[in-house]
């Protein structure tokens, strides 16, 4: 099946992943009628990236708040497919819990309700590996799947907000539409996403530049995860969207979630940073700055300080116990179910993904270096 002639709305279109989804939709050989990119703000860089794509598909940029019902009603008019990639991502507690809930959960609910009222038939939700874990004990998973039983830990606000939003999305599947058909929903849970434009990688890159182009070891070598290239995550969204329109595949997709990974080697987060940059002359520390247990004690101390200062000033620790657990727990999942149910296969091989990312790093490193020198003088 193809997406030819469809109107598609992509939320979070100005973000790291959202941009790639929009570009791949515009690149489709059989043109869509329209791609609407929705975000609270879309950077000039994102607009330039969209402008580079040769396409016959109409691109409409819509800037507004996902919590605004009137705006959402306008955004979904005439749309057949919604890809909901908008989200506040917060791994260290920078964002107020209520804000996370308002955007990630309530915003998703409003969008779902608006789609139902306007007979939008297909809805894909970009979930997160963090709805699964790791839990606070750091229980590992090696090559897990959608049936893997795992005892999660409540209390991590970002993961909880994504889990609750995903629950609403999957629970809305098969709701009746006015035209006699029924609503079709599914969710994709990508592993840690890397690639050109990654905001998380930029933080590590800056740290390495200040450390004489040597990456800090924030995760131990044994903490193997299976990161996924941003182009392949975007491609999974396109593939499942096509399968939703296929009568032979839609029954096994609807109401389900899927883990999305690719053939990127299983590495720790720190070793991934090194693999992507070693040909550019970057190095990596052989071991963590202090034993992991001492790092936990340090993080716990910072959390206590944050709690004590709460009545007077908002202090957000740079490292938390949860973050340390996430970075140091083996946690990997297979994409076999996505391959079986909707034919997902990575569009980019590891070497190609690595090359694209390294070229981007080579381009931005001089700019980051100059900027850091200016701010440290």
């Amino acid at each position: 099946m193809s997406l030819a002639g469809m109107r598609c709305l992509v939320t979070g279109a100005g973000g790291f992943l959202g941009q790639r989804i929009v570009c791949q939709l515009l690149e489709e050989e059989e043109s869509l009628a329209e791609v609407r990119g929705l975000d609270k703000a879309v950077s000039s860089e994102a607009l330039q990236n969209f402008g580079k794509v040769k396409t016959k598909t109409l691109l409409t940029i819509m800037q507004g708040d996902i919590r605004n019902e009137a705006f959402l009603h306008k955004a979904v008019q005439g749309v057949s497919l919604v890809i909901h990639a908008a989200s506040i991502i917060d791994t260290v507690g920078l964002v107020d819990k209520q804000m996370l809930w308002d955007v990630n959960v309530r915003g998703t609910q409003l969008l779902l309700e608006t789609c139902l009222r306007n007979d939008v038939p297909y809805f894909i939700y970009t979930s997160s590996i963090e709805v699964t874990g790791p839990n606070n004990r750091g229980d590992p998973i090696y090559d897990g799947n959608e049936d893997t039983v795992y005892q999660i830990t409540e209390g991590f606000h970002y993961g909880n907000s994504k889990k609750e939003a995903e629950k609403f999305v999957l629970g809305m599947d098969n709701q009746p539409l006015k035209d006699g058909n029924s609503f079709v929903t599914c969710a994709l849970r990508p592993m840690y996403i890397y690639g050109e434009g990654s905001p998380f990688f930029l933080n590590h890159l800056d740290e390495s530049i200040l450390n004489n182009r040597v990456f800090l070891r924030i995760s131990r070598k044994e903490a193997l995860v299976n990161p996924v290239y941003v182009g392949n995550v975007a491609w999974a969204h396109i593939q499942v969207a096509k399968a939703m329109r296929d009568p032979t595949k839609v029954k096994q997709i609807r109401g389900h979630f899927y883990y999305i990974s690719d053939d990127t080697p299983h590495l720790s987060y720190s070793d991934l940073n090194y693999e992507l940059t070693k040909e550019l002359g970057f190095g990596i520390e052989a071991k963590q700055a202090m034993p992991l247990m001492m790092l936990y004690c340090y993080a716990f101390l910072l959390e206590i300080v944050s709690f004590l200062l709460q009545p007077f000033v908002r202090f957000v620790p740079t490292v938390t116990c949860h973050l340390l657990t996430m970075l140091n727990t083996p946690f990997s999942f297979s994409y076999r179910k996505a391959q079986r149910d909707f034919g997902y296969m990575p569009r980019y091989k590891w070497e190609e993904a690595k090359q694209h990312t390294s070229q981007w790093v080579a381009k931005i490193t001089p700019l980051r270096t100059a900027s850091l020198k200016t701010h440290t003088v």
Side-chain angles (χ1 to χ4, degrees), residues 9-14 18 36-39 66 72 82-87 111:
L9 172 69
V10 180
T11 71
R36 296 179 190 170
L38 182 156
D39 213 323
I66 197 170
L72 290 182
V82 169
I83 297 177
H84 181 32
S87 178
L111 183 57

Side-chain angles (χ1 to χ4, degrees), residues 154-328:
E154 302 296 337
F156 178 45
H157 300 320
Y158 169 65
N160 288 344
S161 72
K162 294 294 287 185
K163 180 182 177 183
E164 192 68 14
E166 181 188 278
K167 180 181 175 181
F168 278 118
V169 170
L170 301 184
M172 283 285 195
D173 182 74
N174 212 30
Q175 289 292 308
L177 300 174
K178 296 173 187 175
D179 62 3
N181 292 312
S182 61
F183 201 32
V184 180
T185 72
C186 76
L188 304 183
R189 295 182 183 177
M191 304 299 105
Y192 168 76
I193 307 174
Y194 71 93
E196 311 94 285
S198 167
F200 304 105
F201 177 82
L202 288 176
N203 293 332
H204 299 310
L205 178 64
D206 289 349
E207 290 174 347
S208 72
I209 291 171
L210 294 173
N211 195 39
N212 296 317
R213 292 168 70 100
V214 175
F215 282 96
L216 304 178
R217 179 163 289 283
I218 55 176
S219 51
R220 54 199 180 95
K221 278 182 171 290
E222 300 79 14
L224 301 181
V225 294
N226 54 332
V228 59
Y229 180 57
V230 62
N232 287 328
V233 180
W235 183 236
H237 286 75
I238 309 300
Q239 292 298 94
V240 78
K242 291 178 179 178
M244 280 179 156
R245 303 189 72 197
D246 187 337
T248 65
K249 294 179 179 179
V250 66
K251 289 183 181 179
Q252 56 202 25
I253 295 169
R254 59 183 318 148
H256 289 272
F257 70 86
Y258 295 90
Y259 291 111
I260 303 299
S261 55
D262 56 21
D263 66 344
T264 299
H266 289 213
L267 300 160
S268 74
Y269 290 105
S270 294
D271 289 300
L272 173 68
N273 292 336
Y274 173 59
E275 281 296 321
L276 293 171
T277 58
K278 64 182 181 181
E279 294 177 6
L280 302 175
F282 284 81
I284 186 171
E285 293 178 340
K287 57 183 180 180
Q288 291 173 315
M290 61 182 78
L292 187 57
M293 187 54 65
M294 289 184 65
L295 283 172
Y296 271 109
C297 291
Y298 173 65
F300 183 61
L301 178 62
L302 290 179
E303 289 178 25
I304 291 176
V305 171
S306 176
F307 176 76
L308 294 175
L309 291 176
Q310 208 167 37
F312 314 104
V313 65
R314 189 157 188 262
F315 166 65
V316 179
T318 54
V319 61
T320 63
C321 292
H322 173 80
L323 182 61
L324 284 175
T325 300
M326 186 173 65
L327 295 174
N328 287 280

Side-chain angles (χ1 to χ4, degrees), residues 122-161:
Y122 306 110
F123 191 103
I124 302 169
Y125 178 61
T126 307
S127 189
S128 167
I129 184 60
E130 292 184 50
V131 307
T132 307
N135 58 28
N136 60 7
R137 295 191 304 273
D139 294 331
I141 291 181
Y142 300 94
D143 198 32
N145 59 46
E146 288 77 0
D147 296 321
T148 299
V149 177
Y150 190 77
Q151 187 176 357
I152 65 170
T153 303
E154 302 296 337
F156 178 45
H157 300 320
Y158 169 65
N160 288 344
S161 72

Side-chain angles (χ1 to χ4, degrees), residues 305-368:
V305 171
S306 176
F307 176 76
L308 294 175
L309 291 176
Q310 208 167 37
F312 314 104
V313 65
R314 189 157 188 262
F315 166 65
V316 179
T318 54
V319 61
T320 63
C321 292
H322 173 80
L323 182 61
L324 284 175
T325 300
M326 186 173 65
L327 295 174
N328 287 280
T329 300
F331 218 64
S332 59
F333 287 83
S334 164
Y335 64 82
R336 283 188 290 270
K337 185 180 178 182
Q339 182 180 19
R340 183 192 70 213
D341 285 5
F342 61 88
Y344 165 69
M345 284 296 291
R347 184 177 183 178
Y348 302 90
K349 296 294 185 183
W350 157 242
E351 288 301 328
E352 190 176 3
K354 179 181 176 181
Q355 181 183 25
H356 288 325
T357 307
S358 296
Q359 289 173 345
W360 168 68
V361 175
K363 180 179 178 180
I364 65 170
T365 296
L367 302 175
R368 308 293 292 190

